[in-house]
């Protein structure tokens, strides 16, 4: 669907459907990129499907799966593409999430994965200084996507309310003007890939409408 929208906008787009939870899947990305484009300028790590739920009812398998896709998938893909990014003086943008900074007892897997991913991103930015690769992270807040719909359904089930009520509770709790939209995140990601943003390095920027109450 996304590829169709991009094509209709007059842009070239290629698809590589693979499972980023495995090393083999990440290697497929590199192979496809090399055969299709050769040069690699930008890597945006934006895969994740961590599950929420009650801690005592969350088995090891869900913890392992959460780290496998969002954390290890990003680590492996970045490691594989880094030499190409170094050659092009490229850019890495990691889409992480506000739970890295604001833990939630009903979303422990996502919070733990995001915190690890944020630490990795900061360390990677240090390597980026050596190799002239720009590295930054984005922490989206509550953003209206299919993925977020699933999370709200889980929250509504735990609270015994409707999905609509769960969404409104989140907005009211944080005093937000509205829920986030994908374009809110996309606009920042695009800017971080420009030369105008080249002096922004090793930074994690929240796009959450002011929901994060801490300084950092």
């Amino acid at each position: 669907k996304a590829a169709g929208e991009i094509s209709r906008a007059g842009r070239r787009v290629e698809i590589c459907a693979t499972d980023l939870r495995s090393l083999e899947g990440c290697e497929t990305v590199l192979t496809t990129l090399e055969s299709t484009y050769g040069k690699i300028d930008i890597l945006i790590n934006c895969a994740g499907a961590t599950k929420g739920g009650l801690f005592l009812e969350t088995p090891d398998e869900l913890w392992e799966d959460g780290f496998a896709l969002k954390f290890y998938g990003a680590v492996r893909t970045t490691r594989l593409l880094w030499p190409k990014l170094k050659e092009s003086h490229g850019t890495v943008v990691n889409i992480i999430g506000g739970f890295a900074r604001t833990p939630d007892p009903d979303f422990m897997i996502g919070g733990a994965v995001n915190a690890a991913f944020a630490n990795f991103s900061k360390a990677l930015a240090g390597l980026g200084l050596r190799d002239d690769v720009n590295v930054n992270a984005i922490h989206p807040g509550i953003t209206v996507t299919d993925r977020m719909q699933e999370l709200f359904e889980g929250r509504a089930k735990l609270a015994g309310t409707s999905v609509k009520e769960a969404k409104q509770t989140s907005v009211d709790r944080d005093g937000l003007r509205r829920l986030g939209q994908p374009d809110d995140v996309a606009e920042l990601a695009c800017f971080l890939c420009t030369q105008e943003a080249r002096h922004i390095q090793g930074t994690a920027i929240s796009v959450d409408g002011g929901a994060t109450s801490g300084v950092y």
Side-chain angles (χ1 to χ4, degrees), residues 83-94:
K84 290 286 186 181
L85 291 164
K86 182 178 178 180
E87 288 177 7
S88 64
H89 309 293
T91 299
V92 177
V93 178
N94 292 327

Side-chain angles (χ1 to χ4, degrees), residues 19-87:
D19 188 352
L20 295 177
R21 292 173 297 185
S22 68
L23 175 59
E24 292 76 13
C26 297
E27 290 173 336
T28 299
V29 173
L30 174 62
T31 301
T32 303
L33 282 169
E34 287 182 325
S35 63
T36 305
Y37 293 103
K39 183 182 179 183
I40 299 171
D41 299 289
I42 298 166
L43 168 62
I44 298 180
N45 287 304
C46 186
T50 52
K51 304 295 184 183
L54 299 176
F55 172 61
L56 296 181
E57 298 177 5
T58 306
D60 285 357
E61 289 76 15
L62 291 183
W63 283 88
E64 292 166 359
D65 189 67
F67 274 94
L69 177 58
K70 191 167 186 177
F71 182 73
Y72 285 114
V75 169
R76 290 166 176 155
T77 304
T78 303
R79 185 177 65 222
L80 289 166
L81 301 190
W82 192 264
K84 290 286 186 181
L85 291 164
K86 182 178 178 180
E87 288 177 7

Side-chain angles (χ1 to χ4, degrees), residues 13-208:
V13 57
E14 303 289 343
I15 299 172
C16 172
T18 186
D19 188 352
L20 295 177
R21 292 173 297 185
S22 68
L23 175 59
E24 292 76 13
C26 297
E27 290 173 336
T28 299
V29 173
L30 174 62
T31 301
T32 303
L33 282 169
E34 287 182 325
S35 63
T36 305
Y37 293 103
K39 183 182 179 183
I40 299 171
D41 299 289
I42 298 166
L43 168 62
I44 298 180
N45 287 304
C46 186
T50 52
K51 304 295 184 183
L54 299 176
F55 172 61
L56 296 181
E57 298 177 5
T58 306
D60 285 357
E61 289 76 15
L62 291 183
W63 283 88
E64 292 166 359
D65 189 67
F67 274 94
L69 177 58
K70 191 167 186 177
F71 182 73
Y72 285 114
V75 169
R76 290 166 176 155
T77 304
T78 303
R79 185 177 65 222
L80 289 166
L81 301 190
W82 192 264
K84 290 286 186 181
L85 291 164
K86 182 178 178 180
E87 288 177 7
S88 64
H89 309 293
T91 299
V92 177
V93 178
N94 292 327
I95 312 296
I96 304 177
F99 287 111
R101 293 170 167 168
T102 309
D104 186 315
D106 296 325
F107 197 63
M108 288 189 180
I109 300 175
V113 171
N114 287 2
F117 198 3
N119 190 287
F120 166 75
S121 298
K122 187 65 174 179
L124 187 68
L127 180 60
L129 287 175
R130 300 177 194 170
D131 294 343
D132 196 14
V133 176
N134 241 44
V135 180
N136 289 290
I138 298 175
H139 289 317
I142 300 173
T143 307
V144 180
T145 63
D146 293 341
R147 164 89 177 112
M148 186 53 66
Q149 179 68 19
E150 293 177 5
L151 292 177
F152 274 122
E153 289 173 359
R155 289 184 181 184
K157 184 177 180 180
L158 288 173
T161 62
S162 67
V163 173
K164 182 178 180 180
E165 288 173 318
K167 289 181 179 180
Q168 191 60 48
T169 296
S170 294
V171 172
D172 294 342
R173 180 189 62 203
D174 296 325
L176 303 179
R177 291 183 289 265
R178 62 172 174 82
L179 294 176
Q181 297 295 324
D183 283 353
D184 295 324
V185 179
E187 292 288 349
L188 176 58
C190 288
F191 173 69
L192 290 174
C193 296
T194 66
Q195 283 301 312
E196 288 78 6
R198 198 67 185 178
H199 200 53
I200 302 174
Q201 173 79 344
T203 297
I205 304 173
S206 294
V207 183
D208 61 4

